[in-house]
Amino acid sequence: MEKLSYRLQTIADQVSPGNRLADIGCDHGFVPIYLIQKGIIPSAIAMDVVEGPLSRAREHIRSAGLDDVITTRLSDGLEQLQIGEVDTVLIAGMGGALTVRILSAKPELVRSLDELILEPQSELVLVRRFLREQNFCILSEEMVLEDGKYYPVLKICPKKTWSDHGMDPDLALSYGPSLLEKKHPVLRSFLEKEHQTLEQILAGLHTAGDSERVRNRKREVEASLLNNEKALRILD
């Protein structure tokens, strides 16, 4: 098997050794194949809602000679997964709203797991808010910069309780309590880029008239800019 991308390697590194894995939206099946080949996990279930990606995963699994330890299932999210079959669920490469929908569909199964590995590619605040509402603990969080895009990777324990790590609750939701606490260098890069973008948006709004819509948008951007600056000060 070819070497994993930096993003996929970071995701794979979050899976606890010895755990049985379900990879939801498995695409090519590279992560479970890697984890099995390295002897990190004993077995995996590769799942996808679309037959095309699942077929590609089957081909790669077969080529790796791992048919006996990695099974494949056509499934909408967690629908075809039962309590007790796995210890870890991985959901990577999906939008935040879809990630939340998948987790919300089978709450008893999710709460039975040892860990969740999540890599939402949008609406990260929505995901963190869901985790806080469910009182799930963020054990750790990484952020990867690959090909000009920022990817957060969250390791969650549904059996432990949420903590803001002493951070402002709004900052914890926006930027991740774990990332802020360890002053993650990629988070700093993200914040600096976000700060520049927000300042550009605000400058544009100053020339966009004085309608109620513009005033509301200014307030939103100013609040985001204030949060961004607070987060940057924590990282200093």
Side-chain angles (χ1 to χ4, degrees):
M1 178 183 165
E2 294 183 6
K3 184 178 179 180
L4 294 178
S5 69
Y6 182 35
R7 178 180 70 90
L8 290 182
Q9 184 66 60
T10 302
I11 291 168
D13 288 346
Q14 307 313 305
V15 177
S16 294
N19 280 11
R20 300 163 298 165
L21 174 73
D23 184 0
I24 312 302
C26 62
D27 198 17
H28 294 80
F30 290 153
V31 171
I33 290 171
Y34 167 85
L35 291 168
I36 294 284
Q37 288 180 332
K38 293 295 183 180
I40 296 169
I41 63 172
S43 63
I45 305 171
M47 306 173 76
D48 208 291
V49 70
V50 180
E51 181 58 43
L54 203 60
S55 295
R56 289 194 295 271
R58 287 192 194 103
E59 291 173 7
H60 291 132
I61 292 164
R62 190 176 302 113
S63 295
L66 298 175
D67 301 77
D68 56 333
V69 287
I70 304 179
T71 58
T72 59
R73 290 182 194 171
L74 191 65
S75 176
D76 182 0
L78 301 168
E79 185 177 306
Q80 299 304 317
L81 189 66
Q82 303 303 315
I83 292 175
E85 287 192 289
V86 299
D87 311 294
T88 301
V89 160
L90 165 63
I91 304 176
M94 301 183 195
L98 179 55
T99 299
V100 169
R101 180 184 72 77
I102 289 171
L103 295 175
S104 300
K106 298 193 74 170
E108 290 185 5
L109 185 149
V110 171
R111 290 187 180 278
S112 75
L113 298 167
D114 288 346
E115 63 190 22
L116 298 163
I117 312 299
L118 307 179
E119 188 259 305
Q121 300 202 342
S122 65
E123 301 170 293
L124 184 52
V125 173
L126 179 69
V127 175
R128 289 201 190 100
R129 183 175 292 114
F130 169 80
L131 297 172
R132 175 187 276 175
E133 289 170 352
Q134 299 301 309
N135 205 22
F136 292 169
C137 177
I138 298 179
L139 295 174
S140 64
E141 190 167 355
E142 297 295 331
M143 182 174 275
V144 173
L145 176 59
E146 184 175 83
D147 298 329
K149 291 187 66 177
Y150 293 90
Y151 300 96
V153 182
L154 293 79
K155 182 171 183 173
I156 312 299
C157 180
K159 298 174 181 177
K160 295 183 179 180
T161 57
W162 171 277
S163 171
D164 289 324
H165 292 219
M167 304 291 173
D168 178 289
D170 287 339
L171 291 184
L173 281 182
S174 296
Y175 302 115
S178 177
L179 289 175
L180 288 165
E181 184 178 52
K182 60 189 174 186
K183 301 179 186 293
H184 200 288
V186 180
L187 175 62
R188 179 182 292 278
S189 169
F190 172 82
L191 287 168
E192 290 170 348
K193 183 176 181 180
E194 182 187 59
H195 191 275
Q196 184 179 17
T197 300
L198 290 169
E199 284 194 321
Q200 290 171 348
I201 293 171
L202 196 57
L205 288 169
H206 286 319
T207 63
D210 193 37
S211 67
E212 183 178 354
R213 182 186 64 81
V214 170
R215 289 195 298 272
N216 288 338
R217 180 60 177 147
K218 278 183 183 177
R219 284 192 288 269
E220 290 173 0
V221 175
E222 287 169 348
S224 296
L225 195 55
L226 180 61
N227 261 359
N228 174 282
E229 290 168 349
K230 287 179 180 177
L232 279 168
R233 284 197 292 273
I234 291 173
L235 269 57
D236 286 339

mmCIF file of all heavy atoms in Angstrom, residues 17-66:
data_model
loop_
_atom_site.group_PDB
_atom_site.id
_atom_site.type_symbol
_atom_site.label_atom_id
_atom_site.label_comp_id
_atom_site.label_asym_id
_atom_site.label_seq_id
_atom_site.Cartn_x
_atom_site.Cartn_y
_atom_site.Cartn_z
ATOM 1 N N PRO A 17 -4.737 1.690 19.707
ATOM 2 C CA PRO A 17 -4.305 0.328 19.384
ATOM 3 C C PRO A 17 -5.208 -0.715 20.039
ATOM 4 O O PRO A 17 -5.650 -0.551 21.175
ATOM 5 C CB PRO A 17 -2.883 0.262 19.970
ATOM 6 C CG PRO A 17 -2.420 1.681 19.978
ATOM 7 C CD PRO A 17 -3.641 2.504 20.276
ATOM 8 N N GLY A 18 -5.487 -1.766 19.278
ATOM 9 C CA GLY A 18 -6.299 -2.862 19.792
ATOM 10 C C GLY A 18 -7.788 -2.702 19.578
ATOM 11 O O GLY A 18 -8.551 -3.659 19.795
ATOM 12 N N ASN A 19 -8.224 -1.525 19.151
ATOM 13 C CA ASN A 19 -9.650 -1.291 18.947
ATOM 14 C C ASN A 19 -10.132 -1.822 17.606
ATOM 15 O O ASN A 19 -9.402 -1.795 16.609
ATOM 16 C CB ASN A 19 -9.965 0.212 19.020
ATOM 17 C CG ASN A 19 -10.062 0.727 20.439
ATOM 18 O OD1 ASN A 19 -9.697 0.029 21.379
ATOM 19 N ND2 ASN A 19 -10.567 1.934 20.594
ATOM 20 N N ARG A 20 -11.368 -2.295 17.596
ATOM 21 C CA ARG A 20 -12.037 -2.675 16.345
ATOM 22 C C ARG A 20 -12.652 -1.412 15.752
ATOM 23 O O ARG A 20 -13.305 -0.646 16.460
ATOM 24 C CB ARG A 20 -13.119 -3.721 16.616
ATOM 25 C CG ARG A 20 -12.594 -5.014 17.243
ATOM 26 C CD ARG A 20 -13.736 -5.808 17.861
ATOM 27 N NE ARG A 20 -14.380 -5.047 18.935
ATOM 28 C CZ ARG A 20 -15.567 -5.341 19.454
ATOM 29 N NH1 ARG A 20 -16.254 -6.388 19.010
ATOM 30 N NH2 ARG A 20 -16.070 -4.601 20.433
ATOM 31 N N LEU A 21 -12.458 -1.215 14.446
ATOM 32 C CA LEU A 21 -12.801 0.055 13.799
ATOM 33 C C LEU A 21 -13.942 -0.077 12.809
ATOM 34 O O LEU A 21 -14.017 -1.061 12.069
ATOM 35 C CB LEU A 21 -11.566 0.592 13.058
ATOM 36 C CG LEU A 21 -11.762 1.837 12.191
ATOM 37 C CD1 LEU A 21 -11.947 3.081 13.060
ATOM 38 C CD2 LEU A 21 -10.574 2.012 11.238
ATOM 39 N N ALA A 22 -14.827 0.930 12.789
ATOM 40 C CA ALA A 22 -15.769 1.106 11.688
ATOM 41 C C ALA A 22 -15.442 2.427 11.012
ATOM 42 O O ALA A 22 -15.441 3.481 11.654
ATOM 43 C CB ALA A 22 -17.214 1.117 12.191
ATOM 44 N N ASP A 23 -15.127 2.374 9.732
ATOM 45 C CA ASP A 23 -14.802 3.564 8.947
ATOM 46 C C ASP A 23 -16.034 3.933 8.131
ATOM 47 O O ASP A 23 -16.389 3.239 7.180
ATOM 48 C CB ASP A 23 -13.601 3.268 8.040
ATOM 49 C CG ASP A 23 -13.132 4.488 7.266
ATOM 50 O OD1 ASP A 23 -13.728 5.575 7.426
ATOM 51 O OD2 ASP A 23 -12.156 4.355 6.497
ATOM 52 N N ILE A 24 -16.692 5.036 8.531
ATOM 53 C CA ILE A 24 -17.947 5.458 7.893
ATOM 54 C C ILE A 24 -17.633 6.407 6.749
ATOM 55 O O ILE A 24 -17.009 7.454 6.958
ATOM 56 C CB ILE A 24 -18.878 6.155 8.918
ATOM 57 C CG1 ILE A 24 -18.996 5.326 10.203
ATOM 58 C CG2 ILE A 24 -20.240 6.424 8.302
ATOM 59 C CD1 ILE A 24 -19.505 3.929 10.011
ATOM 60 N N GLY A 25 -18.078 6.060 5.539
ATOM 61 C CA GLY A 25 -17.679 6.832 4.365
ATOM 62 C C GLY A 25 -16.233 6.522 4.037
ATOM 63 O O GLY A 25 -15.376 7.399 3.928
ATOM 64 N N CYS A 26 -15.954 5.229 3.866
ATOM 65 C CA CYS A 26 -14.569 4.726 3.837
ATOM 66 C C CYS A 26 -13.800 5.101 2.584
ATOM 67 O O CYS A 26 -12.574 4.983 2.553
ATOM 68 C CB CYS A 26 -14.573 3.203 3.974
ATOM 69 S SG CYS A 26 -15.438 2.363 2.617
ATOM 70 N N ASP A 27 -14.505 5.531 1.528
ATOM 71 C CA ASP A 27 -13.859 5.877 0.266
ATOM 72 C C ASP A 27 -13.009 4.709 -0.225
ATOM 73 O O ASP A 27 -13.533 3.646 -0.500
ATOM 74 C CB ASP A 27 -13.052 7.169 0.426
ATOM 75 C CG ASP A 27 -12.713 7.817 -0.909
ATOM 76 O OD1 ASP A 27 -13.351 7.452 -1.910
ATOM 77 O OD2 ASP A 27 -11.822 8.673 -0.949
ATOM 78 N N HIS A 28 -11.685 4.868 -0.289
ATOM 79 C CA HIS A 28 -10.831 3.797 -0.825
ATOM 80 C C HIS A 28 -10.451 2.750 0.212
ATOM 81 O O HIS A 28 -9.827 1.745 -0.126
ATOM 82 C CB HIS A 28 -9.551 4.395 -1.419
ATOM 83 C CG HIS A 28 -9.779 5.258 -2.622
ATOM 84 N ND1 HIS A 28 -10.194 6.569 -2.522
ATOM 85 C CD2 HIS A 28 -9.669 4.998 -3.941
ATOM 86 C CE1 HIS A 28 -10.309 7.078 -3.729
ATOM 87 N NE2 HIS A 28 -10.009 6.153 -4.612
ATOM 88 N N GLY A 29 -10.782 2.983 1.467
ATOM 89 C CA GLY A 29 -10.458 2.017 2.510
ATOM 90 C C GLY A 29 -9.020 2.059 2.968
ATOM 91 O O GLY A 29 -8.532 1.133 3.631
ATOM 92 N N PHE A 30 -8.313 3.160 2.676
ATOM 93 C CA PHE A 30 -6.875 3.210 2.971
ATOM 94 C C PHE A 30 -6.568 3.206 4.474
ATOM 95 O O PHE A 30 -5.581 2.611 4.902
ATOM 96 C CB PHE A 30 -6.248 4.457 2.333
ATOM 97 C CG PHE A 30 -6.171 4.391 0.834
ATOM 98 C CD1 PHE A 30 -6.167 5.557 0.072
ATOM 99 C CD2 PHE A 30 -6.092 3.172 0.170
ATOM 100 C CE1 PHE A 30 -6.086 5.503 -1.307
ATOM 101 C CE2 PHE A 30 -6.016 3.107 -1.213
ATOM 102 C CZ PHE A 30 -6.010 4.283 -1.958
ATOM 103 N N VAL A 31 -7.395 3.905 5.274
ATOM 104 C CA VAL A 31 -7.095 3.991 6.708
ATOM 105 C C VAL A 31 -7.196 2.625 7.394
ATOM 106 O O VAL A 31 -6.250 2.210 8.086
ATOM 107 C CB VAL A 31 -7.966 5.049 7.405
ATOM 108 C CG1 VAL A 31 -7.819 4.977 8.925
ATOM 109 C CG2 VAL A 31 -7.594 6.452 6.916
ATOM 110 N N PRO A 32 -8.311 1.887 7.255
ATOM 111 C CA PRO A 32 -8.338 0.559 7.893
ATOM 112 C C PRO A 32 -7.278 -0.392 7.365
ATOM 113 O O PRO A 32 -6.702 -1.178 8.135
ATOM 114 C CB PRO A 32 -9.753 0.042 7.606
ATOM 115 C CG PRO A 32 -10.311 0.915 6.552
ATOM 116 C CD PRO A 32 -9.611 2.227 6.651
ATOM 117 N N ILE A 33 -6.977 -0.322 6.075
ATOM 118 C CA ILE A 33 -5.922 -1.174 5.517
ATOM 119 C C ILE A 33 -4.589 -0.867 6.200
ATOM 120 O O ILE A 33 -3.870 -1.776 6.640
ATOM 121 C CB ILE A 33 -5.803 -0.991 3.987
ATOM 122 C CG1 ILE A 33 -7.027 -1.587 3.285
ATOM 123 C CG2 ILE A 33 -4.525 -1.636 3.456
ATOM 124 C CD1 ILE A 33 -7.112 -1.262 1.805
ATOM 125 N N TYR A 34 -4.261 0.401 6.300
ATOM 126 C CA TYR A 34 -3.011 0.810 6.958
ATOM 127 C C TYR A 34 -2.964 0.322 8.404
ATOM 128 O O TYR A 34 -1.944 -0.237 8.850
ATOM 129 C CB TYR A 34 -2.884 2.341 6.906
ATOM 130 C CG TYR A 34 -1.811 2.897 7.819
ATOM 131 C CD1 TYR A 34 -0.486 2.974 7.393
ATOM 132 C CD2 TYR A 34 -2.121 3.334 9.107
ATOM 133 C CE1 TYR A 34 0.508 3.468 8.233
ATOM 134 C CE2 TYR A 34 -1.136 3.828 9.955
ATOM 135 C CZ TYR A 34 0.173 3.894 9.514
ATOM 136 O OH TYR A 34 1.145 4.389 10.350
ATOM 137 N N LEU A 35 -4.044 0.534 9.143
ATOM 138 C CA LEU A 35 -4.058 0.173 10.567
ATOM 139 C C LEU A 35 -3.929 -1.330 10.778
ATOM 140 O O LEU A 35 -3.278 -1.774 11.739
ATOM 141 C CB LEU A 35 -5.341 0.697 11.214
ATOM 142 C CG LEU A 35 -5.438 2.222 11.355
ATOM 143 C CD1 LEU A 35 -6.850 2.644 11.729
ATOM 144 C CD2 LEU A 35 -4.434 2.733 12.393
ATOM 145 N N ILE A 36 -4.512 -2.114 9.894
ATOM 146 C CA ILE A 36 -4.368 -3.571 9.978
ATOM 147 C C ILE A 36 -2.942 -3.978 9.633
ATOM 148 O O ILE A 36 -2.302 -4.780 10.332
ATOM 149 C CB ILE A 36 -5.369 -4.274 9.041
ATOM 150 C CG1 ILE A 36 -6.816 -4.056 9.491
ATOM 151 C CG2 ILE A 36 -5.039 -5.767 8.943
ATOM 152 C CD1 ILE A 36 -7.251 -4.868 10.674
ATOM 153 N N GLN A 37 -2.423 -3.435 8.526
ATOM 154 C CA GLN A 37 -1.082 -3.817 8.079
ATOM 155 C C GLN A 37 -0.015 -3.481 9.117
ATOM 156 O O GLN A 37 0.978 -4.199 9.246
ATOM 157 C CB GLN A 37 -0.754 -3.136 6.748
ATOM 158 C CG GLN A 37 -1.519 -3.707 5.566
ATOM 159 C CD GLN A 37 -1.172 -3.020 4.260
ATOM 160 O OE1 GLN A 37 -0.796 -1.838 4.230
ATOM 161 N NE2 GLN A 37 -1.317 -3.733 3.161
ATOM 162 N N LYS A 38 -0.215 -2.402 9.850
ATOM 163 C CA LYS A 38 0.747 -1.997 10.872
ATOM 164 C C LYS A 38 0.526 -2.732 12.198
ATOM 165 O O LYS A 38 1.281 -2.529 13.157
ATOM 166 C CB LYS A 38 0.654 -0.484 11.112
ATOM 167 C CG LYS A 38 1.107 0.359 9.935
ATOM 168 C CD LYS A 38 2.594 0.175 9.664
ATOM 169 C CE LYS A 38 3.073 1.065 8.550
ATOM 170 N NZ LYS A 38 4.523 0.905 8.272
ATOM 171 N N GLY A 39 -0.496 -3.581 12.255
ATOM 172 C CA GLY A 39 -0.765 -4.333 13.472
ATOM 173 C C GLY A 39 -1.346 -3.482 14.589
ATOM 174 O O GLY A 39 -1.292 -3.874 15.760
ATOM 175 N N ILE A 40 -1.938 -2.339 14.245
ATOM 176 C CA ILE A 40 -2.470 -1.426 15.255
ATOM 177 C C ILE A 40 -3.857 -1.863 15.713
ATOM 178 O O ILE A 40 -4.195 -1.756 16.894
ATOM 179 C CB ILE A 40 -2.486 0.019 14.707
ATOM 180 C CG1 ILE A 40 -1.045 0.481 14.433
ATOM 181 C CG2 ILE A 40 -3.184 0.975 15.694
ATOM 182 C CD1 ILE A 40 -0.949 1.771 13.658
ATOM 183 N N ILE A 41 -4.672 -2.355 14.778
ATOM 184 C CA ILE A 41 -6.021 -2.826 15.113
ATOM 185 C C ILE A 41 -6.201 -4.257 14.611
ATOM 186 O O ILE A 41 -5.540 -4.669 13.653
ATOM 187 C CB ILE A 41 -7.118 -1.907 14.531
ATOM 188 C CG1 ILE A 41 -7.081 -1.904 12.992
ATOM 189 C CG2 ILE A 41 -6.983 -0.487 15.084
ATOM 190 C CD1 ILE A 41 -8.259 -1.169 12.354
ATOM 191 N N PRO A 42 -7.125 -5.025 15.234
ATOM 192 C CA PRO A 42 -7.302 -6.417 14.827
ATOM 193 C C PRO A 42 -8.278 -6.605 13.664
ATOM 194 O O PRO A 42 -8.177 -7.596 12.938
ATOM 195 C CB PRO A 42 -7.854 -7.079 16.095
ATOM 196 C CG PRO A 42 -8.604 -5.977 16.784
ATOM 197 C CD PRO A 42 -7.842 -4.723 16.498
ATOM 198 N N SER A 43 -9.249 -5.683 13.524
ATOM 199 C CA SER A 43 -10.265 -5.865 12.497
ATOM 200 C C SER A 43 -10.946 -4.532 12.210
ATOM 201 O O SER A 43 -10.825 -3.577 12.986
ATOM 202 C CB SER A 43 -11.318 -6.886 12.952
ATOM 203 O OG SER A 43 -12.008 -6.404 14.102
ATOM 204 N N ALA A 44 -11.663 -4.480 11.081
ATOM 205 C CA ALA A 44 -12.351 -3.242 10.703
ATOM 206 C C ALA A 44 -13.558 -3.561 9.834
ATOM 207 O O ALA A 44 -13.631 -4.615 9.186
ATOM 208 C CB ALA A 44 -11.402 -2.301 9.966
ATOM 209 N N ILE A 45 -14.503 -2.624 9.849
ATOM 210 C CA ILE A 45 -15.649 -2.647 8.940
ATOM 211 C C ILE A 45 -15.592 -1.363 8.129
ATOM 212 O O ILE A 45 -15.610 -0.263 8.690
ATOM 213 C CB ILE A 45 -16.991 -2.732 9.693
ATOM 214 C CG1 ILE A 45 -17.013 -3.938 10.630
ATOM 215 C CG2 ILE A 45 -18.155 -2.798 8.710
ATOM 216 C CD1 ILE A 45 -18.222 -3.969 11.557
ATOM 217 N N ALA A 46 -15.482 -1.485 6.806
ATOM 218 C CA ALA A 46 -15.453 -0.331 5.912
ATOM 219 C C ALA A 46 -16.865 -0.131 5.369
ATOM 220 O O ALA A 46 -17.436 -1.042 4.755
ATOM 221 C CB ALA A 46 -14.466 -0.558 4.778
ATOM 222 N N MET A 47 -17.438 1.058 5.589
ATOM 223 C CA MET A 47 -18.836 1.296 5.251
ATOM 224 C C MET A 47 -18.980 2.544 4.381
ATOM 225 O O MET A 47 -18.259 3.528 4.572
ATOM 226 C CB MET A 47 -19.660 1.460 6.542
ATOM 227 C CG MET A 47 -19.504 0.303 7.507
ATOM 228 S SD MET A 47 -20.293 0.568 9.119
ATOM 229 C CE MET A 47 -22.011 0.306 8.672
ATOM 230 N N ASP A 48 -19.907 2.496 3.430
ATOM 231 C CA ASP A 48 -20.188 3.662 2.597
ATOM 232 C C ASP A 48 -21.625 3.576 2.105
ATOM 233 O O ASP A 48 -22.177 2.474 1.951
ATOM 234 C CB ASP A 48 -19.227 3.737 1.406
ATOM 235 C CG ASP A 48 -19.014 5.175 0.947
ATOM 236 O OD1 ASP A 48 -19.972 5.770 0.406
ATOM 237 O OD2 ASP A 48 -17.905 5.713 1.143
ATOM 238 N N VAL A 49 -22.221 4.736 1.857
ATOM 239 C CA VAL A 49 -23.604 4.797 1.399
ATOM 240 C C VAL A 49 -23.705 4.601 -0.114
ATOM 241 O O VAL A 49 -24.784 4.362 -0.643
ATOM 242 C CB VAL A 49 -24.245 6.140 1.817
ATOM 243 C CG1 VAL A 49 -23.654 7.304 1.034
ATOM 244 C CG2 VAL A 49 -25.769 6.094 1.685
ATOM 245 N N VAL A 50 -22.558 4.691 -0.805
ATOM 246 C CA VAL A 50 -22.522 4.581 -2.266
ATOM 247 C C VAL A 50 -21.722 3.343 -2.660
ATOM 248 O O VAL A 50 -20.637 3.091 -2.124
ATOM 249 C CB VAL A 50 -21.895 5.846 -2.892
ATOM 250 C CG1 VAL A 50 -21.857 5.730 -4.409
ATOM 251 C CG2 VAL A 50 -22.679 7.091 -2.479
ATOM 252 N N GLU A 51 -22.245 2.582 -3.603
ATOM 253 C CA GLU A 51 -21.612 1.330 -3.993
ATOM 254 C C GLU A 51 -20.264 1.546 -4.665
ATOM 255 O O GLU A 51 -19.335 0.747 -4.476
ATOM 256 C CB GLU A 51 -22.538 0.551 -4.944
ATOM 257 C CG GLU A 51 -21.989 -0.793 -5.408
ATOM 258 C CD GLU A 51 -21.674 -1.749 -4.253
ATOM 259 O OE1 GLU A 51 -22.492 -1.836 -3.322
ATOM 260 O OE2 GLU A 51 -20.604 -2.387 -4.289
ATOM 261 N N GLY A 52 -20.114 2.641 -5.428
ATOM 262 C CA GLY A 52 -18.865 2.892 -6.141
ATOM 263 C C GLY A 52 -17.649 2.926 -5.225
ATOM 264 O O GLY A 52 -16.697 2.146 -5.410
ATOM 265 N N PRO A 53 -17.629 3.826 -4.235
ATOM 266 C CA PRO A 53 -16.491 3.855 -3.307
ATOM 267 C C PRO A 53 -16.301 2.540 -2.560
ATOM 268 O O PRO A 53 -15.172 2.124 -2.307
ATOM 269 C CB PRO A 53 -16.869 4.984 -2.340
ATOM 270 C CG PRO A 53 -17.804 5.852 -3.097
ATOM 271 C CD PRO A 53 -18.577 4.923 -3.986
ATOM 272 N N LEU A 54 -17.415 1.879 -2.223
ATOM 273 C CA LEU A 54 -17.317 0.616 -1.497
ATOM 274 C C LEU A 54 -16.647 -0.450 -2.366
ATOM 275 O O LEU A 54 -15.848 -1.255 -1.882
ATOM 276 C CB LEU A 54 -18.706 0.162 -1.050
ATOM 277 C CG LEU A 54 -18.765 -0.792 0.144
ATOM 278 C CD1 LEU A 54 -18.141 -0.150 1.382
ATOM 279 C CD2 LEU A 54 -20.216 -1.182 0.443
ATOM 280 N N SER A 55 -16.950 -0.431 -3.659
ATOM 281 C CA SER A 55 -16.310 -1.382 -4.581
ATOM 282 C C SER A 55 -14.811 -1.133 -4.674
ATOM 283 O O SER A 55 -14.018 -2.079 -4.707
ATOM 284 C CB SER A 55 -16.937 -1.273 -5.977
ATOM 285 O OG SER A 55 -18.286 -1.678 -5.950
ATOM 286 N N ARG A 56 -14.437 0.143 -4.713
ATOM 287 C CA ARG A 56 -13.002 0.465 -4.746
ATOM 288 C C ARG A 56 -12.318 0.009 -3.466
ATOM 289 O O ARG A 56 -11.194 -0.515 -3.496
ATOM 290 C CB ARG A 56 -12.811 1.972 -4.953
ATOM 291 C CG ARG A 56 -13.182 2.461 -6.344
ATOM 292 C CD ARG A 56 -12.649 3.861 -6.594
ATOM 293 N NE ARG A 56 -13.271 4.860 -5.717
ATOM 294 C CZ ARG A 56 -14.387 5.513 -6.004
ATOM 295 N NH1 ARG A 56 -15.027 5.243 -7.137
ATOM 296 N NH2 ARG A 56 -14.881 6.409 -5.173
ATOM 297 N N ALA A 57 -12.998 0.201 -2.338
ATOM 298 C CA ALA A 57 -12.435 -0.248 -1.064
ATOM 299 C C ALA A 57 -12.256 -1.766 -1.072
ATOM 300 O O ALA A 57 -11.219 -2.283 -0.625
ATOM 301 C CB ALA A 57 -13.333 0.179 0.094
ATOM 302 N N ARG A 58 -13.270 -2.501 -1.584
ATOM 303 C CA ARG A 58 -13.171 -3.964 -1.653
ATOM 304 C C ARG A 58 -11.956 -4.394 -2.479
ATOM 305 O O ARG A 58 -11.245 -5.344 -2.113
ATOM 306 C CB ARG A 58 -14.437 -4.555 -2.268
ATOM 307 C CG ARG A 58 -15.663 -4.525 -1.376
ATOM 308 C CD ARG A 58 -16.765 -5.389 -1.944
ATOM 309 N NE ARG A 58 -18.036 -5.126 -1.289
ATOM 310 C CZ ARG A 58 -19.021 -4.401 -1.809
ATOM 311 N NH1 ARG A 58 -18.865 -3.872 -3.031
ATOM 312 N NH2 ARG A 58 -20.141 -4.196 -1.154
ATOM 313 N N GLU A 59 -11.735 -3.701 -3.599
ATOM 314 C CA GLU A 59 -10.596 -4.048 -4.463
ATOM 315 C C GLU A 59 -9.280 -3.851 -3.724
ATOM 316 O O GLU A 59 -8.380 -4.695 -3.801
ATOM 317 C CB GLU A 59 -10.623 -3.174 -5.729
ATOM 318 C CG GLU A 59 -11.773 -3.499 -6.675
ATOM 319 C CD GLU A 59 -11.865 -2.504 -7.821
ATOM 320 O OE1 GLU A 59 -10.958 -1.647 -7.946
ATOM 321 O OE2 GLU A 59 -12.850 -2.568 -8.579
ATOM 322 N N HIS A 60 -9.161 -2.730 -3.015
ATOM 323 C CA HIS A 60 -7.920 -2.470 -2.279
ATOM 324 C C HIS A 60 -7.741 -3.460 -1.128
ATOM 325 O O HIS A 60 -6.614 -3.918 -0.866
ATOM 326 C CB HIS A 60 -7.931 -1.036 -1.746
ATOM 327 C CG HIS A 60 -7.834 0.000 -2.808
ATOM 328 N ND1 HIS A 60 -8.659 1.098 -2.869
ATOM 329 C CD2 HIS A 60 -7.021 0.103 -3.883
ATOM 330 C CE1 HIS A 60 -8.342 1.838 -3.912
ATOM 331 N NE2 HIS A 60 -7.366 1.252 -4.551
ATOM 332 N N ILE A 61 -8.831 -3.790 -0.455
ATOM 333 C CA ILE A 61 -8.767 -4.757 0.651
ATOM 334 C C ILE A 61 -8.354 -6.129 0.130
ATOM 335 O O ILE A 61 -7.501 -6.809 0.712
ATOM 336 C CB ILE A 61 -10.129 -4.835 1.379
ATOM 337 C CG1 ILE A 61 -10.407 -3.513 2.106
ATOM 338 C CG2 ILE A 61 -10.166 -6.002 2.364
ATOM 339 C CD1 ILE A 61 -11.862 -3.323 2.519
ATOM 340 N N ARG A 62 -8.938 -6.507 -1.001
ATOM 341 C CA ARG A 62 -8.613 -7.806 -1.608
ATOM 342 C C ARG A 62 -7.153 -7.833 -2.052
ATOM 343 O O ARG A 62 -6.436 -8.824 -1.836
ATOM 344 C CB ARG A 62 -9.542 -8.064 -2.800
ATOM 345 C CG ARG A 62 -9.462 -9.485 -3.368
ATOM 346 C CD ARG A 62 -10.476 -9.685 -4.483
ATOM 347 N NE ARG A 62 -11.835 -9.433 -4.030
ATOM 348 C CZ ARG A 62 -12.597 -8.411 -4.445
ATOM 349 N NH1 ARG A 62 -12.118 -7.555 -5.346
ATOM 350 N NH2 ARG A 62 -13.822 -8.256 -3.990
ATOM 351 N N SER A 63 -6.689 -6.754 -2.673
ATOM 352 C CA SER A 63 -5.303 -6.679 -3.140
ATOM 353 C C SER A 63 -4.315 -6.781 -1.980
ATOM 354 O O SER A 63 -3.218 -7.324 -2.131
ATOM 355 C CB SER A 63 -5.063 -5.366 -3.895
ATOM 356 O OG SER A 63 -5.838 -5.313 -5.071
ATOM 357 N N ALA A 64 -4.745 -6.249 -0.815
ATOM 358 C CA ALA A 64 -3.882 -6.301 0.374
ATOM 359 C C ALA A 64 -3.979 -7.639 1.092
ATOM 360 O O ALA A 64 -3.251 -7.883 2.061
ATOM 361 C CB ALA A 64 -4.247 -5.164 1.322
ATOM 362 N N GLY A 65 -4.884 -8.517 0.636
ATOM 363 C CA GLY A 65 -5.052 -9.822 1.270
ATOM 364 C C GLY A 65 -5.680 -9.748 2.646
ATOM 365 O O GLY A 65 -5.370 -10.558 3.520
ATOM 366 N N LEU A 66 -6.590 -8.786 2.824
ATOM 367 C CA LEU A 66 -7.170 -8.548 4.150
ATOM 368 C C LEU A 66 -8.670 -8.817 4.212
ATOM 369 O O LEU A 66 -9.362 -8.336 5.119
ATOM 370 C CB LEU A 66 -6.870 -7.103 4.586
ATOM 371 C CG LEU A 66 -5.390 -6.737 4.739
ATOM 372 C CD1 LEU A 66 -5.240 -5.261 5.062
ATOM 373 C CD2 LEU A 66 -4.726 -7.587 5.815
#
